[in-house]
Amino acid sequence: MAEIELKTAPADFRFPTTNQSRHCFTRYIEFHRCVAAKGEESSDCGKFAKYYRSLCPGEWIDKWNEQRENGTFPGPL
């Protein structure tokens, strides 16, 4: 049976505290900026997807995706 290796986002000096909310939000934005710049099929954006998915609660992601679809997302994309 193959061994599964679990990883999370690497440490980021911009977020030195234990509250990772801002780190989560920033990685979500970085992913969507990457997709906008390089396209949905770009493998370069995959790392950002892994990072925000490991840091952010699913409810937040669902809400942000809905806000992006409605044009009401509060962040700079």
Side-chain angles (χ1 to χ4, degrees):
M1 184 171 186
E3 188 173 317
I4 297 173
E5 183 179 350
L6 299 176
K7 290 185 178 181
T8 188
D12 191 323
F13 70 91
R14 297 175 292 179
F15 310 101
T17 62
T18 57
N19 184 344
Q20 294 295 302
S21 300
R22 192 72 176 146
H23 191 180
C24 152
F25 188 71
T26 299
R27 294 300 188 173
Y28 181 85
I29 290 173
E30 287 174 336
F31 169 73
H32 288 287
R33 284 183 177 170
C34 181
V35 168
K38 298 183 179 189
E40 298 227 6
E41 301 302 319
S42 174
S43 61
D44 295 338
C45 302
K47 67 179 179 181
F48 295 120
K50 286 182 189 176
Y51 295 165
Y52 89 76
R53 289 178 185 143
S54 70
L55 291 166
C56 302
E59 295 84 12
W60 293 8
I61 296 169
D62 293 341
K63 181 177 180 180
W64 293 338
N65 287 338
E66 184 179 318
Q67 288 175 334
R68 282 187 319 101
E69 290 170 8
N70 295 333
T72 59
F73 184 71
L77 296 175

